[in-house]
Amino acid sequence: MLTLFGDPEVWLPLAFAGLMGFSILVYVVLDGFDLGVGLLAPLVDDAERDRMVASIGPFWDANETWLVLAIGLLLVAFPEAHGMILSGLYLPVAIMLIGLILRGVAFEFRVKAPAGQKANWDRAFFAGSLMTSLSQGFMLGMYITGLEWTLATLLFSTITAVFLTVGYSFIGATWLIYKTDDDLQRKAVDWARGGIWGLLGGVAAISIASPLASERIFERWFGFPEILLLAPLPLTFAAIAGVLVYMLRKLPAEGDAFAIVPFAATVLLFALAFAGLAYSFYPFVVPDRLTLYEAAAAPESLLIILVGAVVVIPIIIAYSALAYTVFRGKATDLTYY
Amino acid sequence: MMDTLLLSRIQFGANISFHILFPTITIALGWVLLFFKLRFNRTGDMRWMEAYRFWVKVFALSFAMGVVSGITMSFQFGTNWPGFMEHVGNIAGPLLAYEILTAFFLEAAFLGIMLFGFRRVPGWLHTLATFLVAFGTTMSAFWILVLNSWMHTPAGFELRDGVAFATDWWAVVFNPSMPYRLVHMLLASGLTVAFLIAGLSALRWLFGDRSGEVRTTLRFGLTMGAVLIPLQILAGDMHGLNTLEHQPAKVAAMEGNWETRGNVPLLLFAVPDEETRSNSFEIGVPNAASLVLTHKADGIVPGLNDFVTEDGEVLHPPVAPVFYAFRIMVGTGMAMLVLSWGAMALMARRGEGVGTWAQTRRGVDGLPKLLLIALVAMTFAGWLATLSGWYVTEIGRQPWLVTGVLTTEMAVADVPSGLVLSTLIAYLAVYAGLTLAYIGVLVHLARKAAKGQPPAEPRKAPSAVVGGLHAAE
Ligand code: HDD
Ligand code: HEM
Ligand code: HEM
């Protein structure tokens, strides 16, 4: 069975890289929108903030579980890379964890603590979202530049930190366009109109800086025939971005038509940008240091996990879909009964 | 400056200690909520629904704390213990992966429906969601305890160049200490919740709440505690016998026994000293340790001095923390026994009036104020016992991380100690703040619920306590 698809030492690591990439992407999209909502939360008054929180309340826990899965897969499938990456990013990881802790508990505390403390928990909610987004962006930059702590990589990573935060705020705004109405929805459209330029600027900046920062990436992008194969990616990206800019001018539309389009389009943009990154790094798990194949765990153990994953992930997707269906439509106040 | 190894150990200990506080609550509270819900479905009695509504808030808060601290745990292996996965990743990896796939997603996805879906889904689906969340938390406990037990009593593997490879997954999962540890931990969770429910209900009672709900939950918590504590003592004893077989050095440290011998006393108190390798201030029950561990008064109990090599290398765990932590756990267990059985006896007394015993027994009205205050003081006794128990288990495993396979020293990351120290301080500050906030909110919820209820039967002005606290809001 192991050799059914050819050499397991080749396809197993690849399958796991695929699974891990999938989880990271799902995480970035899902927790991206709820982190984004947290980033936008200080911009509105208390009643609207309650509604914003209500729009993500039933989902955020499951969304963050994708991060646990991604890190878990890295841990189990590429143990050596896991150690290298995480001990190399010790400080930003710690900041991200504290951020995740603060915002995760603020959800609960803001409504359960004595009323006088609500404003403080709202502050913790925002601060936690900001710490998480900035540190994730920073880690992305450090990863692209090969986990070296030099002035240039720090600078680059600071830029990616800011842009990922803008990106999360943007997808958060598009989520709110979809999940809210009236005044709050109009505000969300406004935020998105401004945010889109930040997002596009960020993607452009990273796309220009990455090949300059790494010779290998330059080769992968601009070598021949790679450049031809790769061309559809930026072209599709530009087309979708165009649609998005156009839609944002028109919204909110009569009868709330198309409210989901900005969010859906943003998910596609995230996916394309992610595919570009993945393409740039293949076959490395730790850029320029360790490939997938060198880092992979024993095939026997990987196979056991793969069997479980193939059976269980579709089920997970099914009941996640159930949860999103139960809470479809515009966000209303959350009550326990 | 302290070294990275020591700091990483303290940091891991701090993170896992904080994490375990909340799963300990959610594992059993999930089942308790399901029970409340089913009772309501069955009887239509609003008291069960009100109990559900109050405790689901506690559950939601505890769950959030458990999730965020759990995420921290999953990063710890990479940031501080990379050697762990390099050596035993082939075993630990699949177990952790199955925990994520079969437990975490299940509970996370259905939590939303359980908490906020009451009006959005049919009743059966809401009950099912409650069941799946409870089931999911229990599954996570199962998988993580499989891994933890395997680290104590590894089985079903072979070593090639220092790296463990599984040869028999069945033996890995059902390793020798797993059943004992799982049962003991699940009971610990049940007891923690029992005393939490009894304690907060007693607090509401003292705040003047005499609602049917608070009567029900007070009785429920006490009964649950009274039923589980004898089972826990039995399970703990069996767990100890299992440990005697597989990790004798740990048992020697728990008993504070230096020389292998028979007729070993059970030390109620002592100050073990590793410098002189002896105890001072011993107070003990003659022969009792031999009796408990071997069921014979002159049974042989292993001594710590057997675990020192010829050239003086110490292969047993640090004695004092294991010794004291064990006494705190067992002492708390005994206090739980006395309190819950005492309360059951007081509630069972006949009251005034005529009728059968069931009609006239005093129930919760028969509980004296002092006992209620003791219950409030014991609200978090489960946390104390659970933490001490884990300290016995984990410190008792040192210097091994995986018994006989991997030492803690081999697993630690090469991170500058200053970095570990600064993040450790940050974590500790966050944890201390959140633990206080958590306890504060539970008290606040109890007070709020008490205030929303009709005052105590003989109508009188709100008591000074309630009034005073009210004004402080
Ligand atoms: C409410 C919590 C609680 C209570 C009342 C007790 N325990 Fe416990 N104990 C635990 C909660 C716990 C725990 C936290 O769940 C531990 C840590 C690891 C484990 O499996 O269980 C534990 C560990 C633990 C160990 C160490 C096992 C090892 O080698 O790893 C022993 C020997 C006992 N217990 C024995 C007892 C006895 C004789 C008790 C009698 C009163 C007792 N425990 C009460
Ligand atoms: C069930 C899953 C658990 C796993 C996989 C696990 C794993 C580990 C690891 C990797 C260490 C190494 C660090 C060290 O030696 O210091 C450790 C130590 C430790 N753990 Fe656990 N642990 C688990 C549960 C717990 C719980 C629930 C607690 C406490 C409530 C706990 C308390 C400790 C303490 C205090 C140490 C430090 C021991 C020492 O260094 O002296 N552990 N454990
Ligand atoms: C005996 C020790 C442990 C027990 C009993 C336990 C149990 C649980 C339970 C029941 C949950 C569900 C959430 C909740 O109810 O709060 C949870 C959450 C979590 N635990 Fe632990 N755990 C233990 C130790 C660990 C360790 C050592 C790790 C590290 C790998 C870990 C990682 C996690 C993660 C990542 C979550 C969050 C899952 C989510 O997103 O829902 N746990 N744990």
Side-chain angles (χ1 to χ4, degrees), chain A residues 61 64 71 75-76 82 90 97 101 105 112 114 298 301 304 308 312 316 319 326-327 332 336-337, chain B residues 11 53 60 63 71 75 78 80 85 90 93 98 101 105-106 109 111-112 115 120 169 427 434 444:
Chain A
D61 182 1
E64 281 184 3
I71 275 302
L75 175 79
V76 302
H82 178 261
Y90 196 87
L97 292 173
I101 292 175
V105 299
K112 295 192 178 65
S301 294
I304 288 210
V312 179
I316 292 175
Y319 56 59
V326 167
F327 296 101
T332 49
Y336 284 135
Y337 31 79
Chain B
Q11 184 170 92
R53 286 177 185 172
F63 202 97
I71 293 174
F75 279 85
N80 296 70
M85 288 314 273
N90 291 324
Y98 271 85
L101 290 171
F105 274 107
L106 190 68
L111 181 73
L115 292 182
R120 286 178 177 259
W169 278 104
Y427 282 125
L434 288 182
H444 171 74

CSV table of all heavy atoms in Angstrom, one decimal, chain A residues 61 64 71 75-76 82 90 97 101 105 112 114 298 301 304 308 312 316 319 326-327 332 336-337, chain B residues 11 53 60 63 71 75 78 80 85 90 93 98 101 105-106 109 111-112 115 120 169 427 434 444:
chain,number,residue,atom,x,y,z
A,61,ASP,N,-13.3,30.2,17.8
A,61,ASP,CA,-12.6,29.0,18.4
A,61,ASP,C,-12.2,28.0,17.4
A,61,ASP,O,-11.0,27.6,17.3
A,61,ASP,CB,-13.5,28.4,19.5
A,61,ASP,CG,-12.9,27.3,20.2
A,61,ASP,OD1,-11.7,27.0,19.9
A,61,ASP,OD2,-13.5,26.7,21.1
A,64,GLU,N,-9.4,29.3,15.1
A,64,GLU,CA,-8.0,29.2,15.7
A,64,GLU,C,-7.5,27.7,15.7
A,64,GLU,O,-6.3,27.5,15.7
A,64,GLU,CB,-7.9,29.8,17.1
A,64,GLU,CG,-7.9,31.3,17.0
A,64,GLU,CD,-7.7,32.0,18.3
A,64,GLU,OE1,-7.6,31.3,19.3
A,64,GLU,OE2,-7.7,33.2,18.3
A,71,ILE,N,0.3,24.0,13.0
A,71,ILE,CA,1.5,23.8,13.8
A,71,ILE,C,1.7,22.4,14.2
A,71,ILE,O,2.8,21.8,14.2
A,71,ILE,CB,1.4,24.7,15.1
A,71,ILE,CG1,1.8,26.1,14.8
A,71,ILE,CG2,2.2,24.2,16.2
A,71,ILE,CD1,3.3,26.2,14.2
A,75,LEU,N,4.8,20.1,13.3
A,75,LEU,CA,5.5,19.4,14.4
A,75,LEU,C,5.6,17.9,14.1
A,75,LEU,O,6.7,17.3,14.3
A,75,LEU,CB,4.6,19.6,15.7
A,75,LEU,CG,5.0,18.8,16.9
A,75,LEU,CD1,6.1,19.5,17.6
A,75,LEU,CD2,3.8,18.8,17.9
A,76,VAL,N,4.5,17.3,13.6
A,76,VAL,CA,4.6,15.8,13.5
A,76,VAL,C,5.2,15.4,12.1
A,76,VAL,O,5.9,14.4,12.1
A,76,VAL,CB,3.2,15.2,13.6
A,76,VAL,CG1,2.5,15.5,14.9
A,76,VAL,CG2,2.3,15.6,12.4
A,82,HIS,N,10.3,22.2,12.5
A,82,HIS,CA,9.5,22.8,13.5
A,82,HIS,C,10.3,23.4,14.6
A,82,HIS,O,10.2,24.6,15.0
A,82,HIS,CB,8.6,21.7,14.1
A,82,HIS,CG,7.7,22.1,15.2
A,82,HIS,ND1,8.0,21.8,16.5
A,82,HIS,CD2,6.5,22.7,15.3
A,82,HIS,CE1,7.1,22.3,17.3
A,82,HIS,NE2,6.1,22.8,16.6
A,90,TYR,N,11.5,32.8,18.4
A,90,TYR,CA,11.1,32.6,19.8
A,90,TYR,C,10.3,33.8,20.3
A,90,TYR,O,9.2,33.7,20.8
A,90,TYR,CB,12.3,32.4,20.7
A,90,TYR,CG,12.0,31.9,22.0
A,90,TYR,CD1,11.9,30.6,22.3
A,90,TYR,CD2,11.8,32.8,23.1
A,90,TYR,CE1,11.6,30.1,23.5
A,90,TYR,CE2,11.4,32.3,24.3
A,90,TYR,CZ,11.4,31.0,24.6
A,90,TYR,OH,11.0,30.5,25.8
A,97,LEU,N,1.5,34.5,21.0
A,97,LEU,CA,0.7,33.7,22.0
A,97,LEU,C,0.0,34.6,23.0
A,97,LEU,O,-1.2,34.4,23.3
A,97,LEU,CB,1.6,32.7,22.6
A,97,LEU,CG,2.1,31.6,21.7
A,97,LEU,CD1,3.1,30.7,22.4
A,97,LEU,CD2,0.9,30.8,21.2
A,101,ILE,N,-4.0,34.9,23.6
A,101,ILE,CA,-4.6,34.7,24.9
A,101,ILE,C,-5.5,35.9,25.3
A,101,ILE,O,-6.6,35.7,25.6
A,101,ILE,CB,-3.5,34.5,26.0
A,101,ILE,CG1,-2.7,33.2,25.8
A,101,ILE,CG2,-4.1,34.6,27.4
A,101,ILE,CD1,-1.6,33.0,26.7
A,105,VAL,N,-9.7,35.5,25.5
A,105,VAL,CA,-10.4,35.6,26.8
A,105,VAL,C,-11.3,36.8,26.9
A,105,VAL,O,-12.3,36.9,27.5
A,105,VAL,CB,-9.5,35.4,28.0
A,105,VAL,CG1,-8.8,34.1,28.0
A,105,VAL,CG2,-8.5,36.6,28.1
A,112,LYS,N,-19.0,39.2,30.7
A,112,LYS,CA,-19.3,38.5,32.0
A,112,LYS,C,-18.7,39.3,33.1
A,112,LYS,O,-19.3,39.2,34.2
A,112,LYS,CB,-18.7,37.1,32.0
A,112,LYS,CG,-19.4,36.2,30.9
A,112,LYS,CD,-19.1,34.8,31.1
A,112,LYS,CE,-19.9,34.0,30.1
A,112,LYS,NZ,-19.4,34.2,28.7
A,114,PRO,N,-17.9,42.5,35.7
A,114,PRO,CA,-18.8,43.6,36.1
A,114,PRO,C,-18.7,44.7,35.0
A,114,PRO,O,-17.7,45.0,34.4
A,114,PRO,CB,-18.1,44.1,37.4
A,114,PRO,CG,-17.4,42.9,37.9
A,114,PRO,CD,-17.0,42.1,36.7
A,298,ALA,N,9.4,9.7,10.1
A,298,ALA,CA,9.4,8.3,9.5
A,298,ALA,C,8.1,8.1,8.8
A,298,ALA,O,7.0,8.4,9.2
A,298,ALA,CB,9.5,7.3,10.7
A,301,SER,N,5.0,6.5,10.6
A,301,SER,CA,4.2,7.4,11.4
A,301,SER,C,3.4,8.4,10.6
A,301,SER,O,2.2,8.6,10.9
A,301,SER,CB,5.1,8.2,12.3
A,301,SER,OG,5.7,7.4,13.3
A,304,ILE,N,0.2,6.7,9.2
A,304,ILE,CA,-0.9,6.6,10.2
A,304,ILE,C,-1.6,7.9,10.4
A,304,ILE,O,-2.9,8.0,10.5
A,304,ILE,CB,-0.2,6.2,11.6
A,304,ILE,CG1,0.2,4.8,11.5
A,304,ILE,CG2,-1.2,6.5,12.7
A,304,ILE,CD1,0.2,4.1,12.8
A,308,GLY,N,-5.7,9.0,9.1
A,308,GLY,CA,-6.6,9.8,10.0
A,308,GLY,C,-7.1,11.1,9.3
A,308,GLY,O,-8.2,11.4,9.3
A,312,VAL,N,-10.8,12.2,8.5
A,312,VAL,CA,-11.4,13.2,9.4
A,312,VAL,C,-11.5,14.6,8.8
A,312,VAL,O,-12.5,15.3,9.1
A,312,VAL,CB,-10.6,13.2,10.7
A,312,VAL,CG1,-11.2,14.2,11.7
A,312,VAL,CG2,-10.5,11.9,11.4
A,316,ILE,N,-14.5,17.2,9.3
A,316,ILE,CA,-14.4,18.5,10.0
A,316,ILE,C,-15.0,19.6,9.1
A,316,ILE,O,-15.7,20.5,9.6
A,316,ILE,CB,-12.9,18.8,10.2
A,316,ILE,CG1,-12.3,17.8,11.3
A,316,ILE,CG2,-12.6,20.2,10.7
A,316,ILE,CD1,-10.8,18.0,11.5
A,319,TYR,N,-18.8,19.5,9.4
A,319,TYR,CA,-19.5,20.1,10.6
A,319,TYR,C,-19.1,21.6,10.8
A,319,TYR,O,-19.9,22.3,11.4
A,319,TYR,CB,-19.4,19.3,11.8
A,319,TYR,CG,-18.1,18.9,12.4
A,319,TYR,CD1,-17.1,19.7,12.8
A,319,TYR,CD2,-17.9,17.5,12.6
A,319,TYR,CE1,-16.0,19.3,13.4
A,319,TYR,CE2,-16.7,17.0,13.2
A,319,TYR,CZ,-15.8,18.0,13.6
A,319,TYR,OH,-14.6,17.5,14.2
A,326,VAL,N,-25.7,27.3,10.5
A,326,VAL,CA,-26.6,27.6,11.6
A,326,VAL,C,-26.6,29.1,11.9
A,326,VAL,O,-27.6,29.7,12.2
A,326,VAL,CB,-26.2,26.8,12.9
A,326,VAL,CG1,-26.9,27.3,14.1
A,326,VAL,CG2,-26.5,25.3,12.7
A,327,PHE,N,-25.4,29.7,11.8
A,327,PHE,CA,-25.3,31.1,12.1
A,327,PHE,C,-25.2,32.0,10.9
A,327,PHE,O,-24.5,33.0,10.9
A,327,PHE,CB,-24.0,31.3,13.0
A,327,PHE,CG,-24.2,30.7,14.3
A,327,PHE,CD1,-23.6,29.4,14.6
A,327,PHE,CD2,-25.0,31.2,15.3
A,327,PHE,CE1,-23.7,28.8,15.8
A,327,PHE,CE2,-25.2,30.6,16.5
A,327,PHE,CZ,-24.5,29.4,16.8
A,332,THR,N,-26.8,38.8,14.8
A,332,THR,CA,-27.7,39.4,15.8
A,332,THR,C,-27.1,39.2,17.2
A,332,THR,O,-26.0,38.5,17.3
A,332,THR,CB,-29.1,38.7,15.8
A,332,THR,OG1,-28.8,37.3,15.8
A,332,THR,CG2,-29.9,39.0,14.6
A,336,TYR,N,-27.2,33.0,25.3
A,336,TYR,CA,-27.0,31.6,25.6
A,336,TYR,C,-28.3,30.8,25.5
A,336,TYR,O,-28.2,29.6,25.5
A,336,TYR,CB,-26.4,31.4,27.0
A,336,TYR,CG,-24.9,31.8,27.0
A,336,TYR,CD1,-24.4,32.6,28.0
A,336,TYR,CD2,-24.1,31.3,26.1
A,336,TYR,CE1,-23.1,32.9,28.1
A,336,TYR,CE2,-22.7,31.7,26.1
A,336,TYR,CZ,-22.3,32.4,27.1
A,336,TYR,OH,-20.9,32.7,27.2
A,337,TYR,N,-29.4,31.5,25.4
A,337,TYR,CA,-30.7,30.7,25.4
A,337,TYR,C,-31.8,31.5,24.8
A,337,TYR,O,-31.5,32.7,24.4
A,337,TYR,CB,-31.1,30.2,26.8
A,337,TYR,CG,-30.7,31.2,27.9
A,337,TYR,CD1,-31.4,32.4,28.1
A,337,TYR,CD2,-29.5,30.9,28.6
A,337,TYR,CE1,-30.9,33.2,29.1
A,337,TYR,CE2,-29.1,31.8,29.6
A,337,TYR,CZ,-29.8,32.9,29.8
A,337,TYR,OH,-29.4,33.8,30.8
B,11,GLN,N,9.2,27.5,32.8
B,11,GLN,CA,8.2,28.0,31.8
B,11,GLN,C,7.2,27.0,31.4
B,11,GLN,O,6.0,27.2,31.4
B,11,GLN,CB,8.9,28.6,30.6
B,11,GLN,CG,7.9,29.3,29.7
B,11,GLN,CD,8.6,30.1,28.6
B,11,GLN,OE1,8.8,29.5,27.5
B,11,GLN,NE2,8.9,31.3,28.8
B,53,ARG,N,-28.3,27.4,32.6
B,53,ARG,CA,-28.0,28.8,32.2
B,53,ARG,C,-26.9,29.4,33.0
B,53,ARG,O,-26.0,30.1,32.5
B,53,ARG,CB,-29.2,29.7,32.3
B,53,ARG,CG,-30.2,29.4,31.2
B,53,ARG,CD,-31.4,30.3,31.5
B,53,ARG,NE,-32.4,29.9,30.5
B,53,ARG,CZ,-33.7,30.4,30.6
B,53,ARG,NH1,-34.0,31.3,31.5
B,53,ARG,NH2,-34.6,30.1,29.7
B,60,ALA,N,-18.4,28.4,29.3
B,60,ALA,CA,-17.9,29.2,28.2
B,60,ALA,C,-16.6,29.9,28.6
B,60,ALA,O,-15.6,29.9,27.8
B,60,ALA,CB,-18.9,30.2,27.7
B,63,PHE,N,-13.8,27.4,29.0
B,63,PHE,CA,-13.4,26.8,27.7
B,63,PHE,C,-12.4,27.8,27.0
B,63,PHE,O,-11.4,27.4,26.5
B,63,PHE,CB,-14.6,26.5,26.9
B,63,PHE,CG,-14.3,25.5,25.8
B,63,PHE,CD1,-14.7,24.2,26.0
B,63,PHE,CD2,-13.7,25.9,24.6
B,63,PHE,CE1,-14.4,23.2,25.0
B,63,PHE,CE2,-13.4,24.9,23.7
B,63,PHE,CZ,-13.8,23.6,23.9
B,71,ILE,N,-3.3,26.6,23.0
B,71,ILE,CA,-2.6,27.0,21.9
B,71,ILE,C,-1.1,27.3,22.3
B,71,ILE,O,-0.2,26.9,21.6
B,71,ILE,CB,-3.2,28.2,21.2
B,71,ILE,CG1,-4.6,27.8,20.7
B,71,ILE,CG2,-2.3,28.8,20.1
B,71,ILE,CD1,-5.4,28.9,20.1
B,75,PHE,N,2.7,25.3,20.9
B,75,PHE,CA,4.0,25.9,20.4
B,75,PHE,C,5.2,25.6,21.3
B,75,PHE,O,6.3,25.7,20.8
B,75,PHE,CB,3.8,27.4,20.3
B,75,PHE,CG,3.0,27.9,19.1
B,75,PHE,CD1,1.7,27.9,19.1
B,75,PHE,CD2,3.7,28.3,18.0
B,75,PHE,CE1,1.0,28.3,18.0
B,75,PHE,CE2,3.0,28.6,16.8
B,75,PHE,CZ,1.6,28.6,16.8
B,78,GLY,N,8.0,23.2,20.2
B,78,GLY,CA,8.9,23.7,19.2
B,78,GLY,C,9.8,24.8,19.7
B,78,GLY,O,11.0,24.8,19.5
B,80,ASN,N,10.7,25.4,23.0
B,80,ASN,CA,11.6,25.1,24.1
B,80,ASN,C,12.1,23.6,24.1
B,80,ASN,O,13.2,23.4,24.7
B,80,ASN,CB,10.9,25.3,25.4
B,80,ASN,CG,10.6,26.8,25.6
B,80,ASN,OD1,9.7,27.3,24.9
B,80,ASN,ND2,11.2,27.4,26.5
B,85,MET,N,10.7,16.2,20.0
B,85,MET,CA,10.1,15.7,18.8
B,85,MET,C,11.2,15.0,17.9
B,85,MET,O,10.9,14.0,17.2
B,85,MET,CB,9.4,16.8,17.9
B,85,MET,CG,8.2,17.3,18.5
B,85,MET,SD,7.0,16.0,19.0
B,85,MET,CE,6.2,15.7,17.5
B,90,ASN,N,8.1,10.3,16.3
B,90,ASN,CA,7.4,9.3,15.6
B,90,ASN,C,6.3,8.7,16.5
B,90,ASN,O,5.3,8.1,15.9
B,90,ASN,CB,8.3,8.2,15.2
B,90,ASN,CG,9.3,8.7,14.1
B,90,ASN,OD1,8.9,9.5,13.2
B,90,ASN,ND2,10.5,8.3,14.1
B,93,GLY,N,4.0,12.4,17.7
B,93,GLY,CA,3.4,13.1,16.6
B,93,GLY,C,2.0,12.5,16.3
B,93,GLY,O,1.0,13.3,16.3
B,98,TYR,N,-3.8,13.0,16.3
B,98,TYR,CA,-5.2,12.5,16.5
B,98,TYR,C,-6.0,13.3,17.5
B,98,TYR,O,-7.2,13.4,17.4
B,98,TYR,CB,-5.1,11.0,16.9
B,98,TYR,CG,-5.1,10.1,15.6
B,98,TYR,CD1,-3.9,9.8,15.0
B,98,TYR,CD2,-6.3,9.6,15.1
B,98,TYR,CE1,-3.9,9.1,13.8
B,98,TYR,CE2,-6.3,8.9,14.0
B,98,TYR,CZ,-5.1,8.6,13.3
B,98,TYR,OH,-5.1,7.9,12.1
B,101,LEU,N,-7.2,16.2,15.4
B,101,LEU,CA,-8.2,15.8,14.4
B,101,LEU,C,-9.5,15.3,15.0
B,101,LEU,O,-10.6,15.7,14.6
B,101,LEU,CB,-7.6,14.8,13.5
B,101,LEU,CG,-6.5,15.2,12.6
B,101,LEU,CD1,-5.9,14.0,11.9
B,101,LEU,CD2,-7.1,16.2,11.5
B,105,PHE,N,-11.2,19.8,16.9
B,105,PHE,CA,-12.2,20.4,16.0
B,105,PHE,C,-13.6,20.1,16.4
B,105,PHE,O,-14.5,20.9,16.2
B,105,PHE,CB,-11.9,19.8,14.6
B,105,PHE,CG,-10.8,20.6,13.8
B,105,PHE,CD1,-9.6,20.1,13.6
B,105,PHE,CD2,-11.1,21.9,13.3
B,105,PHE,CE1,-8.6,20.8,13.0
B,105,PHE,CE2,-10.1,22.6,12.7
B,105,PHE,CZ,-8.9,22.0,12.5
B,106,LEU,N,-13.8,18.9,16.9
B,106,LEU,CA,-15.2,18.5,17.3
B,106,LEU,C,-15.7,19.5,18.3
B,106,LEU,O,-16.8,20.1,18.2
B,106,LEU,CB,-15.1,17.1,17.9
B,106,LEU,CG,-16.4,16.4,18.1
B,106,LEU,CD1,-17.1,16.1,16.8
B,106,LEU,CD2,-16.2,15.1,18.9
B,109,ALA,N,-16.1,23.2,16.9
B,109,ALA,CA,-17.1,23.5,16.0
B,109,ALA,C,-18.5,23.5,16.7
B,109,ALA,O,-19.4,24.3,16.4
B,109,ALA,CB,-17.1,22.5,14.8
B,111,LEU,N,-19.1,23.9,19.8
B,111,LEU,CA,-19.2,24.8,21.0
B,111,LEU,C,-20.1,26.0,20.6
B,111,LEU,O,-21.0,26.4,21.4
B,111,LEU,CB,-17.8,25.3,21.4
B,111,LEU,CG,-17.8,26.3,22.5
B,111,LEU,CD1,-18.1,25.5,23.8
B,111,LEU,CD2,-16.5,27.0,22.7
B,112,GLY,N,-19.9,26.5,19.4
B,112,GLY,CA,-20.7,27.7,19.0
B,112,GLY,C,-22.2,27.3,19.0
B,112,GLY,O,-23.0,28.1,19.6
B,115,LEU,N,-23.4,26.9,22.7
B,115,LEU,CA,-23.5,28.2,23.4
B,115,LEU,C,-24.6,29.1,22.9
B,115,LEU,O,-25.3,29.7,23.7
B,115,LEU,CB,-22.1,28.9,23.5
B,115,LEU,CG,-21.0,28.3,24.2
B,115,LEU,CD1,-19.8,29.2,24.2
B,115,LEU,CD2,-21.4,28.0,25.6
B,120,ARG,N,-31.7,28.7,17.6
B,120,ARG,CA,-31.5,28.6,16.1
B,120,ARG,C,-31.6,27.1,15.6
B,120,ARG,O,-31.8,26.9,14.4
B,120,ARG,CB,-30.1,29.1,15.7
B,120,ARG,CG,-30.0,30.6,15.8
B,120,ARG,CD,-28.6,31.0,15.4
B,120,ARG,NE,-28.5,32.4,15.4
B,120,ARG,CZ,-28.5,33.1,14.3
B,120,ARG,NH1,-28.6,32.5,13.1
B,120,ARG,NH2,-28.4,34.4,14.3
B,169,TRP,N,1.3,-0.2,17.9
B,169,TRP,CA,0.6,1.0,18.3
B,169,TRP,C,-0.4,0.7,19.4
B,169,TRP,O,-0.7,1.5,20.3
B,169,TRP,CB,-0.2,1.6,17.1
B,169,TRP,CG,0.7,2.5,16.3
B,169,TRP,CD1,1.3,2.2,15.1
B,169,TRP,CD2,1.2,3.8,16.7
B,169,TRP,NE1,2.1,3.3,14.7
B,169,TRP,CE2,2.0,4.3,15.7
B,169,TRP,CE3,1.0,4.6,17.8
B,169,TRP,CZ2,2.7,5.5,15.7
B,169,TRP,CZ3,1.6,5.8,17.9
B,169,TRP,CH2,2.4,6.3,16.8
B,427,TYR,N,4.6,35.7,30.6
B,427,TYR,CA,3.6,34.7,30.7
B,427,TYR,C,3.0,34.7,32.2
B,427,TYR,O,1.8,34.7,32.4
B,427,TYR,CB,4.1,33.3,30.5
B,427,TYR,CG,4.3,33.0,29.0
B,427,TYR,CD1,5.5,32.5,28.5
B,427,TYR,CD2,3.2,33.1,28.1
B,427,TYR,CE1,5.7,32.2,27.2
B,427,TYR,CE2,3.4,32.7,26.8
B,427,TYR,CZ,4.6,32.3,26.3
B,427,TYR,OH,4.8,32.0,25.0
B,434,LEU,N,-5.0,36.8,34.7
B,434,LEU,CA,-6.2,36.2,34.2
B,434,LEU,C,-6.8,35.3,35.3
B,434,LEU,O,-8.0,35.1,35.3
B,434,LEU,CB,-5.8,35.4,32.9
B,434,LEU,CG,-5.6,36.2,31.7
B,434,LEU,CD1,-5.3,35.3,30.5
B,434,LEU,CD2,-6.7,37.1,31.4
B,444,HIS,N,-18.5,37.3,40.8
B,444,HIS,CA,-19.4,38.3,40.3
B,444,HIS,C,-20.7,37.7,39.7
B,444,HIS,O,-21.8,38.1,40.0
B,444,HIS,CB,-18.7,39.1,39.2
B,444,HIS,CG,-19.7,40.0,38.4
B,444,HIS,ND1,-20.2,41.2,39.0
B,444,HIS,CD2,-20.2,40.0,37.2
B,444,HIS,CE1,-20.9,41.8,38.1
B,444,HIS,NE2,-21.0,41.0,37.0
